Amino acid sequence: MIDDGAVSSRKPVYHLVVNGKDISQIVRPLLMRLSLRECRGGEADQLDITLDDSQGNLALPPKGASVSLQLGYEHTGLVDKGTFTVDEVEHSGAPDVLNIRCRSAELRGTLRQRASASWHGVTLGDVVRDIAAKNNMVANVDEDLAEIKLQHVDQTNESDVHFLTRIGGQYDATATVKKGRLVVLPIGSTKNASGKEMASITLERTDGDQHRYHAAARDSYSGVRAYWHDAKAAKKVAVISGTEENMKTLRDSYASEADALAAAQAEQARIVRGEATFELSLAVGQPALMVQTPVRVRGFKKEIDGTGWLAKTVEHSLDDNGLTTRLELERKGGGVVDAGGGDWDLELEQPEDGDGADDDDDGGGGETDPGWEGSTDPGWDGGSTDPDWGGGATDLVD
């Protein structure tokens, strides 16, 4: 159970609303851990809540209950992290613990149902708008992607999410749903669901707790080859994105030269992004960070600092250690990535004056405590502890 006793200059706060009722005060003394994993593309965001049920008076929430989360700090305010649906419930013990797993509410329902459809002589924007309308959503498509012409495309017994992810992958695009919008953007895009450019953030090494940088030469292809079927010549024709020095060849054959070239370019962009990855855990969480945020870092090796990064996944965790954030970053494109090739001159780098010094060291300890706002005693008398999960017989019992 999270200790509310210590005083901290950074006091994490949160609001949990279940089926329209704010249960934050009731849950607060029982919360052992809360984690939110935000993902890119067709993978649903996931919210996990772990509650102490050692007194045995927690009712199990019904699957399908709506859960909204806001997360932040007392001195900076709350950030809306979205609405989720209870998907899994687990009770274990002893001591008794209730685990609740929720997933993005908007990636459930009709978007996950299998369907079949065909389009001919349309644009990618037309297809996205048709699917958005079918699911009572608003389409938000990148202008360049929206103008891509499709000779013919089939959705064959696959969900709308799977279909859009598959088609988007051919053009290095990602499809996701945020706040009622069906969003299709280039994977390297730094725009949010409303189409606004997200501000870049710079993280210092002193902001982090742990890090892991990885660069691999085995996937460092210089170019990608794709084939398309030329009906007039009755043969397969190759197109190349990049150079032929170290080629990767795609297995699929495409209907047109334009489709083949787009697929080759998309694969090459994926290879470039995967040349280097960087994982960073922030000792003091930043709830405003989200997927697709452009990130720069300072205080690491020059290959790391010189690379532009893009947030691929973001995980916020709240427990006895306070609020922390873990980032999985991939190369945004451009910048410096040199993991080898050529001579290695082992030269010790001299730190700049003051590098690594911590002028704010207070001896540690107090600043990681959440120190929740408001009363820490919700009053367990009578029916006042009912979180009202909804669905009938879910009242807490004495």
Side-chain angles (χ1 to χ4, degrees):
M1 184 163 49
I2 295 177
D3 179 15
D4 290 346
V7 176
S8 171
S9 61
R10 296 186 180 94
K11 186 183 291 185
V13 292
Y14 65 90
H15 283 166
L16 272 175
V17 177
V18 177
N19 287 340
K21 181 178 180 179
D22 190 341
I23 65 165
S24 308
Q25 291 290 349
I26 297 169
V27 166
R28 186 159 289 118
L30 305 174
L31 183 66
M32 300 175 67
R33 189 172 189 270
L34 181 150
S35 67
L36 171 64
R37 180 177 173 85
E38 300 177 274
C39 307
R40 183 173 65 195
E43 187 178 353
D45 295 348
Q46 181 173 299
L47 171 64
D48 289 301
I49 303 169
T50 302
L51 300 175
D52 175 13
D53 192 29
S54 56
Q55 295 186 14
N57 58 359
L58 277 178
L60 302 183
K63 288 191 291 184
S66 172
V67 180
S68 298
L69 172 67
Q70 292 180 319
L71 189 62
Y73 289 99
E74 193 174 66
H75 68 289
T76 58
L78 293 164
V79 178
D80 183 8
K81 304 308 292 183
T83 301
F84 307 84
T85 301
V86 174
D87 200 44
E88 301 177 30
V89 176
E90 178 182 284
H91 194 273
S92 61
D96 286 5
V97 172
L98 175 61
N99 290 291
I100 304 165
R101 174 159 293 178
C102 313
R103 291 188 171 89
S104 300
E106 294 164 318
L107 277 179
R108 293 169 58 93
T110 56
L111 277 170
R112 291 289 185 184
Q113 295 176 2
R114 293 180 180 270
S116 296
S118 295
W119 290 265
H120 187 77
V122 297
T123 64
L124 182 58
D126 293 331
V127 174
V128 175
R129 284 186 284 269
D130 284 351
I131 293 178
K134 184 180 75 171
N135 291 278
N136 297 315
M137 294 180 177
V138 177
N140 182 357
V141 192
D142 175 80
E143 292 181 1
D144 292 336
L145 290 174
E147 296 301 318
I148 293 176
K149 297 185 184 301
L150 304 176
Q151 287 188 356
H152 185 85
V153 61
D154 291 316
Q155 179 182 5
T156 307
N157 194 32
E158 57 186 327
S159 69
D160 292 341
V161 169
H162 183 274
F163 171 68
L164 288 173
T165 300
R166 176 171 63 83
I167 297 300
Q170 295 180 16
Y171 300 97
D172 199 35
T174 179
T176 190
V177 179
K178 298 290 184 183
K179 298 181 179 179
R181 294 184 176 95
L182 180 56
V183 183
V184 179
L185 298 171
I187 288 180
S189 172
T190 55
K191 292 182 180 180
N192 59 20
S194 60
K196 296 181 180 179
E197 195 74 23
M198 290 190 290
S200 177
I201 185 171
T202 299
L203 298 174
E204 305 284 348
R205 178 160 188 169
T206 52
D207 296 325
D209 184 21
Q210 293 182 331
H211 75 277
R212 178 180 181 271
Y213 171 77
H214 177 74
R218 65 178 180 273
D219 292 331
S220 298
Y221 294 99
S222 63
V224 178
R225 178 192 291 116
Y227 287 97
W228 64 284
H229 181 71
D230 186 344
K232 292 182 179 179
K235 66 177 182 179
K236 290 200 305 182
V237 181
V239 295
I240 294 173
S241 175
T243 67
E244 298 185 40
E245 181 180 347
N246 182 24
M247 295 287 293
K248 177 178 181 178
T249 300
L250 300 183
R251 295 180 179 180
D252 293 337
S253 183
Y254 297 88
S256 69
E257 181 179 9
D259 288 348
L261 183 58
Q265 291 172 338
E267 180 62 16
Q268 187 181 26
R270 187 198 66 78
I271 291 171
V272 169
R273 288 193 302 273
E275 285 180 354
T277 59
F278 189 49
E279 299 173 14
L280 181 63
S281 297
L282 304 180
V284 178
Q286 298 197 25
L289 277 172
M290 60 185 66
V291 172
Q292 297 298 102
T293 300
V295 177
R296 286 281 181 179
V297 296
R298 285 201 299 240
F300 299 92
K301 300 298 183 183
K302 64 180 181 181
E303 292 83 1
I304 304 174
D305 292 357
T307 299
W309 301 101
L310 198 65
K312 184 179 180 181
T313 64
V314 180
E315 183 172 353
H316 306 287
S317 298
L318 184 62
D319 56 20
D320 281 336
N321 295 318
L323 177 59
T324 60
T325 298
R326 180 179 177 276
L327 301 172
E328 293 181 16
L329 309 171
E330 65 180 10
R331 188 185 177 194
K332 184 176 180 291
V336 177
V337 174
D338 185 3
D343 296 332
W344 179 29
D345 295 325
L346 181 56
E347 179 180 349
L348 297 181
E349 299 176 4
Q350 298 300 320
E352 298 178 3
D353 291 342
D355 226 13
D358 186 358
D359 297 332
D360 298 325
D361 185 11
D362 60 1
E367 214 174 62
T368 60
D369 187 280
W372 307 116
E373 91 238 72
S375 172
T376 60
D377 180 10
W380 287 100
D381 298 331
S384 63
T385 59
D386 177 14
D388 191 9
W389 293 110
T394 57
D395 295 347
L396 294 177
V397 294
D398 293 332

